[in-house]
Amino acid sequence: MTIKKSSHILLFGIIIISSCYNEIYTDNVIAINDLSGIPYEPEPYIVNIPAIFPELEVPADNPMTKEGVQLGRRLFYDPILSADNSMSCSTCHEPDKNFTDGFSTSFGIDGIAGTRSSMSLENIGLFYNGLFWDGRAQTLEEQALEPITNPVELNNTWENVIEKLKEDDDYPQRFRKAFGIESRNEITKELAAKAIAQFERIIISNANSRYDQFNRGEIFPTDSEYNGFDMFFDISPDLPDAECAHCHGGPLFTTNEYINNGLDEAPDLNDFPDLGRGAITEYLYDNGKFRAPSLRNIALTAPYMHDGRFETLEEVIDHYNSGGHYAENVDPLINNLGLNEEEKGDLLAFLLTLTDTTYLSNPDLSNPFE
Amino acid sequence: MGLKEGEHEVSMNEIDFIDFTDINVDMAGASEGYTISKLSLPVSNYDGLTMSIGVPSDLNENLPSDFSSSHPLARSSEHWSQWNSYIFSKLEGKYDEDNEPTQLEGNYVFHIGRDEMFRTIELDDLDIALKPDSGTRITVEIDVKNLFRLSNGSYLDLETQNEIHGDESGEALSLQISNNWLTAISIQ
């Protein structure tokens, strides 16, 4: 390992000072490797969180700093993380699509389709009940390690990524500024993951959608939007209850619970095509359960569900209205709702009031390579 | 929850979240139950136990976002914004609609909340002796059947009443189930 590493750096030296003697290369290797001359003075990064949202909890060993966020931002948008330099995190988590990719299921670098649909990263730092559709990662730091090696994602090895980061002209000084490392050799996957997690924690939306505005009494919703709101939150006895808020309630429009919302018929609990939560907990009654996603900006993240089976929100509403498919563990709130065409239209109109992309204008969220 | 010694009461904890979802799916799970551990209670001979179902009104003014994520009151699934209240108890399940017990196609969902549904259960004449440096187990039994009782002693017909509507009938059913908690709980 060590030998391979220094030979790369030697090559770098040769290009720059090809006419020098051997001894000088050696000096140069030390000079390049040693980062301690670069100041390490991280400044705290203050994340603006709307008052109605829960508090941002940050792990004690990964405080938010401007330098860490900027490093994480670069890593997030940089195809350097993939085996063939073709894809970055942002390929499947595009800001324009509210950090999803627009496909039913995502494709990795070799064009192989995965089995799950990309998830939005909006407000991801505020979700505390596990990550991924099945909750297999607990923290963003842990989560960020996975896409690099996942064959249907970046299909790389961390050794390879770290090697590329160490040889890079720019990254070593950024790791120094963010984490105080003293030499290139101290770049690790854990530090890279910490930086990415810091960046992900600033992906916080503004709570300024039409819904938020009428919730604060600043605007009047249309009649159709209001009826949809009423049904979403089961408010008035005069309109049917759509029950949505039981699972997609609260300021983030999700309870983050693992639930079977009746997508697949499963006479036996082992019959689900994707076991979801059950594959992680190995508990029979968790089979076919997935995390309820946030409905903020839901109009921007088609197709829908863990496998992207529904192209449109109309199809989603039809699914719930039908009462879904039988399995013993389908949530009892999934029932035939009896909404007529007008009521379905009203519910849709309400879902569209949850759109608000103003947060994307935060310059720290944009692609630094563009 | 609290322990009583005569008139004197020692609080065991401000609030706990008890979730039977993953336990109460078969007999073995139901009898294994759910364990809450309380540490460092003052040593004494207690003669009673109090237990409230719900969130006391002063705490019930809060929102889930007021608490850090590990706190029981941080769960947005247990707060119902239309009531401005936490959900005090959720009774959810399935029943057989067509007398073919292979599939349970009927669903029931009873969510109870709001200050007027808060109930405190007092269990007296108990003998709970806490000794220094040793554990004591108190087994509390919930007879779920009692939660489905009506005031005339008969049981709810789930085919006609399987959720709580936001009208007078819903209000009456909420009060009934809240009161049922008082008789559903006993000490084994």
Side-chain angles (χ1 to χ4, degrees):
Chain A
M1 260 316 268
T2 338
I3 294 163
K4 189 167 155 242
K5 196 162 39 202
S6 46
S7 69
H8 277 286
I9 291 161
L10 270 175
L11 196 65
F12 180 66
I14 290 162
I15 294 160
I16 295 172
I17 38 164
S18 50
S19 64
C20 299
Y21 296 107
N22 247 336
E23 297 88 287
I24 300 175
Y25 301 157
T26 336
D27 276 340
N28 240 7
V29 170
I30 297 162
I32 291 166
N33 243 333
D34 182 7
L35 304 168
S36 57
I38 301 167
Y40 167 55
E41 291 155 354
E43 277 183 65
Y45 189 103
I46 311 295
V47 190
N48 285 322
I49 309 217
I52 59 165
F53 287 2
E55 198 185 316
L56 177 67
E57 292 171 29
V58 173
D61 66 351
N62 193 21
M64 301 287 292
T65 65
K66 288 185 179 161
E67 293 75 4
V69 167
Q70 289 305 333
L71 170 59
R73 175 182 171 209
R74 288 187 97 76
L75 290 169
F76 185 87
Y77 285 100
D78 196 340
I80 196 171
L81 296 186
S82 63
D84 60 359
N85 290 310
S86 66
M87 276 180 108
S88 61
C89 309
S90 64
T91 312
C92 303
H93 301 286
E94 279 180 61
D96 288 350
K97 299 195 171 74
N98 206 44
F99 292 97
T100 62
D101 62 6
F103 296 112
S104 305
T105 60
S106 299
F107 294 89
I109 59 162
D110 304 311
I112 318 168
T115 55
R116 300 253 176 99
S117 186
S118 175
M119 305 178 84
S120 170
L121 305 183
E122 176 181 0
N123 299 322
I124 185 75
L126 306 177
F127 297 162
Y128 303 105
N129 197 25
L131 299 169
F132 289 120
W133 287 105
D134 52 17
R136 68 184 178 279
Q138 285 313 309
T139 62
L140 287 170
E141 282 76 1
E142 183 190 337
Q143 189 283 330
L145 296 172
E146 202 194 273
I148 313 293
T149 54
N150 191 328
V152 295
E153 295 187 13
L154 303 171
N155 196 14
N156 208 343
T157 64
W158 270 105
E159 289 78 11
N160 196 6
V161 172
I162 299 299
E163 229 28 70
K164 289 200 269 180
L165 293 174
K166 278 182 189 164
E167 286 163 32
D168 192 82
D169 292 344
D170 182 45
Y171 278 113
Q173 53 107 8
R174 289 184 177 272
F175 274 92
R176 162 74 187 165
K177 287 181 182 158
F179 298 113
I181 59 169
E182 310 222 310
S183 106
R184 288 172 188 249
N185 297 334
E186 291 171 36
I187 297 179
T188 60
K189 62 179 180 184
E190 285 78 17
L191 290 182
K194 278 186 174 181
I196 293 174
Q198 287 191 37
F199 170 70
E200 289 175 305
R201 290 196 173 97
I202 72 165
I203 311 179
I204 303 274
S205 57
N206 282 340
N208 207 17
S209 63
R210 270 183 72 73
Y211 160 76
D212 294 294
Q213 292 173 21
F214 75 71
N215 193 34
R216 293 191 295 257
E218 295 162 8
I219 59 166
F220 287 107
T222 64
D223 288 348
S224 173
E225 287 168 346
Y226 190 83
N227 287 344
F229 162 77
D230 184 314
M231 291 184 284
F232 189 96
F233 287 100
D234 303 356
I235 297 173
S236 99
D238 303 332
L239 283 171
D241 292 344
E243 318 282 8
C244 317
H246 292 281
C247 306
H248 300 285
L252 300 173
F253 281 84
T254 174
T255 55
N256 275 310
E257 289 178 302
Y258 297 91
I259 291 167
N260 177 354
N261 66 342
L263 294 176
D264 291 304
E265 165 121 13
D268 182 299
L269 289 173
N270 288 304
D271 289 346
F272 295 99
D274 182 339
L275 295 183
R277 183 71 179 150
I280 309 306
T281 61
E282 298 185 345
Y283 178 63
L284 184 66
Y285 287 87
D286 281 345
N287 286 355
K289 293 189 181 175
F290 294 86
R291 210 176 86 225
S294 168
L295 299 188
R296 282 193 176 271
N297 279 323
I298 195 64
L300 306 178
T301 63
Y304 301 105
M305 305 297 167
H306 68 272
D307 54 3
R309 67 176 65 197
F310 297 133
E311 293 290 333
T312 62
L313 287 172
E314 284 87 345
E315 287 175 48
V316 171
I317 292 175
D318 281 334
H319 160 72
Y320 285 112
N321 200 33
S322 75
H325 300 282
Y326 179 82
E328 197 185 332
N329 64 356
V330 170
D331 195 281
L333 287 158
I334 304 295
N335 284 306
N336 189 320
L337 302 175
L339 309 189
N340 62 29
E341 290 305 314
E342 188 184 348
E343 289 158 347
K344 289 198 290 185
D346 292 346
L347 189 56
L348 177 64
F350 173 68
L351 294 179
L352 301 183
T353 67
L354 299 174
T355 305
D356 168 26
T357 54
T358 54
Y359 79 102
L360 294 170
S361 61
N362 175 355
D364 291 345
L365 289 179
S366 65
N367 185 339
F369 301 103
E370 276 173 3
Chain B
M1 259 188 294
L3 286 174
K4 287 202 305 183
E5 196 181 354
E7 293 299 294
H8 179 65
E9 188 177 326
V10 177
S11 164
M12 288 203 266
N13 200 6
E14 193 172 39
I15 199 110
D16 286 294
F17 175 71
I18 304 183
D19 183 359
F20 292 108
T21 316
D22 286 351
I23 297 164
N24 207 12
V25 287
D26 51 25
M27 281 309 287
S31 47
E32 189 183 315
Y34 184 101
T35 304
I36 312 174
S37 305
K38 295 289 161 223
L39 299 173
S40 319
L41 289 170
V43 168
S44 186
N45 286 323
Y46 295 99
D47 53 17
L49 182 76
T50 64
M51 194 187 294
S52 301
I53 307 291
V55 178
S57 59
D58 54 331
L59 277 178
N60 201 24
E61 287 167 9
N62 293 298
L63 294 173
S65 55
D66 295 332
F67 297 91
S68 70
S69 64
S70 56
H71 193 281
L73 295 180
R75 295 167 181 265
S76 56
S77 55
E78 310 308 319
H79 188 268
W80 194 243
S81 54
Q82 301 317 311
W83 293 337
N84 279 321
S85 168
Y86 279 90
I87 299 172
F88 295 174
S89 66
K90 281 185 175 178
L91 199 56
E92 300 182 349
K94 299 197 182 268
Y95 64 93
D96 186 16
E97 233 170 18
D98 57 5
N99 285 322
E100 272 191 47
T102 41
Q103 287 199 358
L104 302 176
E105 47 291 293
N107 293 318
Y108 63 86
V109 176
F110 301 122
H111 290 183
I112 313 286
R114 293 175 295 126
D115 289 347
E116 54 274 34
M117 303 296 162
F118 185 79
R119 293 290 178 280
T120 299
I121 297 148
E122 307 236 358
L123 297 160
D124 293 320
D125 300 324
L126 304 177
D127 182 13
I128 306 168
L130 298 194
K131 303 200 174 63
D133 302 320
S134 70
T136 300
R137 175 181 279 271
I138 308 170
T139 303
V140 177
E141 201 172 75
I142 307 174
D143 187 348
V144 176
K145 213 165 133 221
N146 276 359
L147 294 175
F148 294 89
R149 284 224 193 236
L150 295 172
S151 50
N152 64 11
S154 65
Y155 290 95
L156 267 172
D157 176 6
L158 292 175
E159 279 182 40
T160 53
Q161 278 187 302
N162 46 43
E163 61 180 318
I164 293 184
H165 295 283
D167 57 13
E168 274 170 39
S169 74
E171 184 73 10
L173 184 55
S174 271
L175 282 166
Q176 180 64 47
I177 297 177
S178 306
N179 294 337
N180 286 349
W181 275 105
L182 301 172
T183 58
I185 290 196
S186 60
I187 293 287
Q188 229 181 25

